[in-house]
């Protein structure tokens, strides 16, 4: 059996809907119930991508096998959550989100390659750190790239069903 070539490249704006679909599917694969997701998820995601592209240096990357997109990842700088009094060279945080690979293409290093190219892009725009939220299945991938588990503390105010 011959090894198929996996091509990682920057996504085009024409692929935004596919990236939105991957983002939705990622949540479904993690067991989030469909009734917990806004039925207008695709428009919400597309509007966010448009804003992030305009204001937050957003870029997405896709993985292709035989001219079919089988995975994607998005990244951007994090918008300010509080008054940012630091100079950008001291603190400019990038964020990676929506890393998704179609189930039949998992465990082939695609998520690792997508994440790596997103990290390289964030380095190129002078980010000083990169943050992402990892699913249990994704943690080993991100750990292998040097990501460490942070000390983020969360207080859940809503009990899920």
């Amino acid at each position: 059996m011959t090894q198929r070539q996996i091509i990682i490249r920057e996504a085009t704006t024409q692929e935004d809907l596919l990236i939105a679909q991957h983002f939705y599917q990622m949540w479904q694969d993690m067991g989030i119930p469909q009734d917990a997701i806004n039925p207008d998820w695709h428009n919400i995601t597309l509007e966010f991508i448009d804003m992030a592209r305009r204001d937050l240096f957003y870029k997405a990357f896709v993985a292709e096998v035989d001219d079919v997109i089988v995975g994607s990842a998005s990244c951007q700088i994090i918008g300010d959550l509080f008054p940012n009094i630091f100079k950008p060279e001291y603190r400019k945080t990038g964020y990676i989100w929506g890393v998704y690979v179609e189930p039949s293409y998992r465990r082939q290093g695609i998520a690792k390659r997508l994440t790596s190219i997103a990290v390289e892009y964030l380095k190129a725009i002078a980010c000083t750190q990169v943050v992402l939220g990892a699913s249990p299945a994704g943690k080993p991938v991100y750990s292998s790239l040097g990501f460490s588990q942070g000390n983020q503390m969360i207080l859940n105010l809503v009990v899920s069903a």
Side-chain angles (χ1 to χ4, degrees):
M1 184 175 194
T2 60
Q3 181 79 359
R4 293 192 237 175
Q5 184 179 14
I6 300 165
I7 298 169
I8 307 292
R9 64 170 176 79
E10 187 176 329
T12 67
T13 56
Q14 291 78 24
E15 293 157 338
D16 287 353
L17 183 56
L18 178 62
I19 289 163
Q21 290 168 337
H22 281 174
F23 187 60
Y24 171 81
Q25 191 60 49
M26 176 192 75
W27 292 109
Q28 291 286 284
D29 288 359
M30 287 193 297
I32 301 299
Q34 188 152 357
D35 65 350
I37 297 174
N38 190 312
D40 197 27
W41 59 266
H42 57 286
N43 284 327
I44 293 167
T45 307
L46 291 173
E47 287 172 12
F48 180 87
I49 289 171
D50 186 52
M51 177 280 303
R53 186 176 280 122
R54 187 179 60 249
D55 300 336
L56 302 173
F57 294 88
Y58 171 87
K59 262 195 209 260
F61 301 93
V62 295
E64 285 184 335
V65 175
D66 298 331
D67 297 321
V68 175
I69 295 173
V70 300
S72 61
S74 294
C75 63
Q76 66 193 55
I77 60 170
I78 292 181
D80 295 331
L81 302 174
F82 52 86
N84 185 1
I85 63 170
F86 299 106
K87 295 177 182 176
E89 62 272 13
Y90 181 75
R91 182 182 294 171
K92 183 178 179 184
T93 304
Y95 191 74
I96 298 174
W97 59 274
V99 179
Y100 180 79
V101 177
E102 297 285 342
S104 61
Y105 290 91
R106 292 178 184 164
R107 300 201 167 285
Q108 298 179 40
I110 295 172
K112 186 173 184 175
R113 288 180 59 193
L114 285 165
T115 304
S116 293
I117 198 167
V119 167
E120 289 305 313
Y121 167 69
L122 293 169
K123 278 184 194 175
I125 62 169
C127 287
T128 58
Q129 66 180 356
V130 178
V131 176
L132 57 74
S135 67
K139 284 183 181 183
V141 173
Y142 308 128
S143 291
S144 75
L145 291 170
F147 282 84
S148 61
Q149 293 184 9
N151 61 354
Q152 181 179 28
M153 298 177 74
I154 299 171
L155 172 62
N156 288 315
L157 300 176
V158 177
V159 178
S160 58

